[in-house]
């Protein structure tokens, strides 16, 4: 086979292996190693390239962002900041139509701004918000759809681990990606809140729900609520404020955030020697997984470059005079299709290495492409057949004894309006790129 044919075969093999259930890192390394060996005709050379690629990938200065933000996320969860963000948001929006849903979106946005962990947010808000919404008379599909849909915010609002992986693949600045994610994150949050308001208006019982007796947060004094807001505000000011003010880089922001979250957890007496050690171990596990993914992604990118597949696609697109908009629409469609059956990381690692060089050759800003990618990929986590967010909601409900009332199908249908709202936001960013490049 020619190098180009090997590249196409490798891309197809990678997709099939991941669909078959092979771990993404293993599939990437296997396909890349075999593909480079076949193209170069030298297995030893492929092994040397694998070692060098892994070394280059994990010794990047900006890679330090990942373990630091992972540590910060675990500390935030230990300190109970996510719970506090929801209670404060519920107090602010609880009396509006669909107010508990609105509070869930706001709480999720705040939680995302200090952790960037979607799965943790899904579990936490399923346990806190869904029972409260059901008690207030919310339709079951709306109650679970709000939680599943708002999980998309975790990978768009900085800090975001998925943004780090994208930045490594495309060799863009992690700081630029974080800066670019703020405005779209706010817009997407607003779109979700509008969606809840519209959907809630179609159910007569929602007016009574808005006037229902407040949850325990309603009995809290203003002083108590202020005390809840202070740690959240300080951490956001340290991490996001410091980055946007140019006081420190994304990596330094991770260090400051991790230190700040640790101090908050200590001040709240939420840490014991045993729990602190467990947090360090969990951070190590997650970091090791990210290291393997980044190294394997870098290897796969080199394999594609050697095969000439991205260059061939660029030349083919130039020859046929396709516009940037038409290529972007194809890219969005590919990401959406992949996202319906694969996790977010797998989708990014398959689609981005192929299309990023094409966009670069066409003069597109890869940060703009990255923000579109983040939202489009996250739509996949709430769409059937294998969207991971509804599965997590369902398993959490089953564990809490509510699974008999709500089926997986109900969760998918409940999340559908939020997927539609996210697609509208994607369309706005495609048509008007400054929305994603406001703070770059």
């Amino acid at each position: 086979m020619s190098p180009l044919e090997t590249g196409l075969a490798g891309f197809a093999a990678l997709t099939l292996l991941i669909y078959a259930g092979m771990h993404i890192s293993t599939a990437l390394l296997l396909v890349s190693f075999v593909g480079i060996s076949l193209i170069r005709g030298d297995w030893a050379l492929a092994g040397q390239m694998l070692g060098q690629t892994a070394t280059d990938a994990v010794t990047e200065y900006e890679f330090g962002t990942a373990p630091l933000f992972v540590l910060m996320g675990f500390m935030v969860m230990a300190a109970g900041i996510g719970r506090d963000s929801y209670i404060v948001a519920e107090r602010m929006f609880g009396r509006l139509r669909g107010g508990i849903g609105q509070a869930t979106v706001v709480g999720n946005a705040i939680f995302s701004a200090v952790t960037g962990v979607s799965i943790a947010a899904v579990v936490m808000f399923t346990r806190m918000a869904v029972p409260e919404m059901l008690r207030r008379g919310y339709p079951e599909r709306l109650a679970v759809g709000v939680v599943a849909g708002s999980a998309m915010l975790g990978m768009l609002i900085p800090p975001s681990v998925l943004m780090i992986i994208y930045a490594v693949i495309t060799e863009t600045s992690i700081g630029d990606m974080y800066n670019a994610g703020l405005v779209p994150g706010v817009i997407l949050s607003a779109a979700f809140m509008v969606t809840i308001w519209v959907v809630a208006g179609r159910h007569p019982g929602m007016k009574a729900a808005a006037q229902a007796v407040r949850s325990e947060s309603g009995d809290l004094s203003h002083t108590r609520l202020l005390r809840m807001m202070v740690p959240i505000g300080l951490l956001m000011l340290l991490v996001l404020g410091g980055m946007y003010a140019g006081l420190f880089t994304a990596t330094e922001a991770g260090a400051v955030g991790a230190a700040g979250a640790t101090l908050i957890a200590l001040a709240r007496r939420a840490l014991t020697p045993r729990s602190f050690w467990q947090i360090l171990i969990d951070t190590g596990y997650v970091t090791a997984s990210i290291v393997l993914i980044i190294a394997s992604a870098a290897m796969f990118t080199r394999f594609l470059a050697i095969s000439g597949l991205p260059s061939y696609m660029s030349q083919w697109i130039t020859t046929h005079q396709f516009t940037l908009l038409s290529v972007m629409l194809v890219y969005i469609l590919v990401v959406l299709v992949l996202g319906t059956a694969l996790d977010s990381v797998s989708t990014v690692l398959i689609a981005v290495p192929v299309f990023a060089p094409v966009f670069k050759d066409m003069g597109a800003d890869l940060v703009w492409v990255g923000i579109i990618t983040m939202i489009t990929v996250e739509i996949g986590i709430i769409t059937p057949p294998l969207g991971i967010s509804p599965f997590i909601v369902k398993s959490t409900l089953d564990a809490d004894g509510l699974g008999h009332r709500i089926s997986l199908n109900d969760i998918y249908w409940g999340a559908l309006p939020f997927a539609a709202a996210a697609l509208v936001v994607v369309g706005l960013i495609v048509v008007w790129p400054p929305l994603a490049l406001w703070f770059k």
Side-chain angles (χ1 to χ4, degrees), residues 152 335-336 338-342 344 375-384 386-390 412:
M152 283 190 275
V335 172
L336 285 174
L338 290 174
T340 60
L342 300 176
S344 301
I375 304 176
T376 308
V377 165
E378 288 302 291
I379 293 174
I381 73 171
I382 63 172
T383 52
L386 297 175
I388 189 172
S389 183
Y412 278 126

Side-chain angles (χ1 to χ4, degrees), residues 182-250:
L182 182 60
V183 172
V186 173
I187 294 173
L188 188 61
S189 300
F192 286 165
M193 295 178 73
V194 171
T195 300
I196 293 169
W197 190 85
V198 172
V199 173
R202 298 171 56 188
H203 298 276
M206 296 302 297
K207 185 175 181 180
Q211 298 173 348
V213 179
R214 284 186 177 274
S215 64
E216 60 182 15
S217 64
D219 299 326
L220 297 175
S221 66
H222 293 293
T223 302
R224 174 60 177 158
L225 287 172
L226 183 61
R227 289 177 180 174
M228 288 181 172
M229 294 175 62
V230 169
I232 302 169
L234 285 177
L235 203 54
M236 292 179 65
L237 182 63
L238 277 173
V239 178
L240 300 182
M243 282 195 299
Y244 296 134
L247 298 178
F248 34 72
T249 65

Side-chain angles (χ1 to χ4, degrees), residues 152-158 160 163 177-178 180-182 184-186 188 370-371 374-375 378 425 429:
M152 283 190 275
L153 299 171
M155 290 304 171
L156 179 61
I157 296 177
S160 164
M163 281 187 178
M177 286 296 300
Y178 281 177
L182 182 60
V186 173
L188 188 61
I371 297 303
M374 293 300 106
I375 304 176
E378 288 302 291
V425 175
I429 296 174

Side-chain angles (χ1 to χ4, degrees), residues 409-430:
N409 188 53
D410 288 330
I411 302 173
Y412 278 126
W413 277 107
L416 187 60
F418 298 94
L423 276 176
V424 171
V425 175
V426 168
L428 290 174
I429 296 174
V430 170

Side-chain angles (χ1 to χ4, degrees), residues 232-318:
I232 302 169
L234 285 177
L235 203 54
M236 292 179 65
L237 182 63
L238 277 173
V239 178
L240 300 182
M243 282 195 299
Y244 296 134
L247 298 178
F248 34 72
T249 65
T251 304
E252 293 164 346
V256 171
T262 303
L263 290 175
I264 291 172
L266 288 172
R268 291 187 165 194
R269 298 181 180 179
L271 284 181
T272 63
R274 175 175 293 182
S275 64
F276 181 69
W277 179 247
Q278 187 61 48
I279 286 174
L280 293 180
I281 291 175
D282 291 340
T283 300
Y285 283 147
V286 175
T287 302
S289 176
I290 294 173
V291 168
L292 188 57
I293 288 174
I294 289 176
S296 57
M299 185 69 174
F300 185 65
T301 301
R302 292 194 179 187
F303 160 62
L304 289 179
I306 291 173
S307 72
L309 179 58
S311 299
Y312 173 79
M313 285 189 61
S314 296
Q315 294 172 5
W316 187 78
I317 289 171
T318 302

Side-chain angles (χ1 to χ4, degrees), residues 377-403:
V377 165
E378 288 302 291
I379 293 174
I381 73 171
I382 63 172
T383 52
L386 297 175
I388 189 172
S389 183
F391 279 100
I392 297 173
V393 172
K394 176 61 176 171
S395 63
T396 305
L397 291 174
D398 289 342
D400 293 346
L402 294 174

